[in-house]
Amino acid sequence: MIPTNHPRYRSLVTRELLAENVKKGIVSLEGLTAHGRGEAFDYFIGEKTTPSAFLAGQTAAAMLLSARHPVISVNGNTAALAAREIADLQRACGARVEVNLFHRTEERVHLIEDLLRSAGTDVFSGTAERLLPLSHDRAWCRREGIFSADVILVPLEDGDRCEALIGMGKKVIAVDLNPLSRTARRATLTIVDELTRALPIITDACTNLTKSERKKLVESLDNNYLLSEAIREMTMRLSHALD
Ligand code: PTJ
C-alpha cells in the first residue's frame, strides 16, 4: 500500500499500475523498462508540460482534425496508462483506434482491445495483415486502419515503425519524453511530454481551436524548433538543479 502523502505518490502508483498490467498480460515486461526511460526524461522537464510541449499538443489536434483518415495507434503501455484519455480523444477528433504491438501475440491484442473498449473506445479491429515494410511484428496492421491512414498518432513508438510510416508518406505525431530518440527526430511532429498529460491537451484543443487557429498551427509546424526547445528547457532545468 502506497501512502498518499508519499512525495513520489503519483510515480509509485503509476509503476504499480504498470506492474499489475504486466501480470494481466497487457503491458510487456520490456514496457516497464521503456517506462523507466520515460520517467528519467520526465524528471528533466520537471514532470510538467513545457510551453513547447503545449504548442506541440495543440498542433497535434490541428493535424488530427484536418486529416482525411486519422488513426491512433495503441500499444500495451498506452492502453494501461491512458485508456480513458484515448476514448476521450477519439470522441473529440473522430480517429480510428487500432492496436499495434512490438511484442505481438493475438492474446495481447485482444486483451488490449478489451481494455480500450471497457474505457469507451470504439476499437477498429478485425483481420490484421503484414502490411508495413518492417521485419518485426509491428508490420501487422489493418488495411483500412493504420495502413491507409494519412495522419497517425503514435504514443511510445519505436523508431523503426516511425521511419516506415514516414517512408509511406504519412504524417506521424509521436508522444515521446525522449527528444533525442529516433522516433522523436523522424516524426512529423513530436510532443515531448508524458502521455497522460499530453493526451488531454490534444483533446481540449480539438474542442476549442477555431478553424483559422488550426490552419495557422499546421502551417507553422517546425519539429526541429519544438525538439530544440524541449532540449533547451531540459538543459536549463539541469543547469539550475542545485541552485
Ligand atoms: O506494447 P508493445 O509490445 O508494443 O511494446 C511497447 C514498448 C513501449 C515496449 C515499445 O514500443 C518500446 O520498446 O518502446 P521504446 O523503443 O522503448 O520507446 C519508448 C519511448 O517512449 C522512450 O523513448 C521513452 O522515453 C518514452 N516513454 C516511456 N514512457 C512514456 C514515454 N513517453 C511519454 N509518456 C510516457 N508515459
Side-chain angles (χ1 to χ4, degrees), residues 5-194:
N5 63 350
H6 192 289
R8 300 293 305 158
Y9 178 75
R10 208 180 125 76
S11 159
L12 295 178
V13 168
T14 304
R15 287 179 182 184
E16 204 169 65
L17 175 72
L18 287 168
E20 277 163 17
N21 277 282
V22 168
K23 288 178 200 148
K24 290 181 190 161
I26 286 169
V27 173
S28 63
L29 264 180
E30 294 81 354
L32 296 181
T33 55
H35 179 76
R37 185 192 293 166
E39 273 193 330
F41 280 99
D42 206 13
Y43 249 79
F44 297 164
I45 57 168
E47 297 176 307
K48 57 181 188 330
T49 302
T50 61
S52 64
F54 185 76
L55 173 63
Q58 291 203 311
T59 310
M63 285 170 70
L64 288 166
L65 290 177
S66 59
R68 171 185 48 78
H69 182 20
V71 170
I72 304 169
S73 175
V74 175
N75 61 16
N77 287 48
T78 303
L81 291 174
R84 196 169 34 83
E85 288 85 349
I86 293 287
D88 291 343
L89 177 57
Q90 182 183 47
R91 271 192 293 278
C93 74
R96 284 197 167 155
V97 172
E98 181 177 342
V99 174
N100 177 276
L101 301 180
F102 187 79
H103 307 283
R104 188 177 196 281
T105 64
E106 279 301 313
E107 194 199 352
R108 274 192 78 215
V109 172
H110 289 132
L111 284 168
I112 294 168
E113 287 180 348
D114 287 349
L115 173 63
L116 291 170
R117 285 197 184 98
S118 68
T121 296
D122 180 10
V123 180
F124 188 68
S125 55
T127 313
E129 298 170 67
R130 207 174 176 108
L131 294 172
L132 305 184
L134 292 166
S135 52
H136 54 72
D137 283 350
R138 270 202 188 262
W140 288 86
C141 66
R142 278 90 183 177
R143 201 167 281 280
E144 303 305 325
I146 288 169
F147 181 70
S148 44
D150 60 338
V151 174
I152 173 163
L153 173 66
V154 293
L156 280 71
E157 183 66 6
D158 64 88
D160 276 5
R161 191 176 64 133
C162 181
E163 278 181 355
L165 295 170
I166 293 280
M168 291 168 80
K170 301 181 191 306
K171 290 185 176 141
V172 176
I173 305 166
V175 181
D176 192 336
L177 277 158
N178 177 6
L180 306 172
S181 75
R182 208 149 42 97
T183 299
R185 287 182 289 121
R186 292 294 286 122
T188 316
L189 168 70
T190 306
I191 305 169
V192 182
D193 201 2
E194 203 283 319

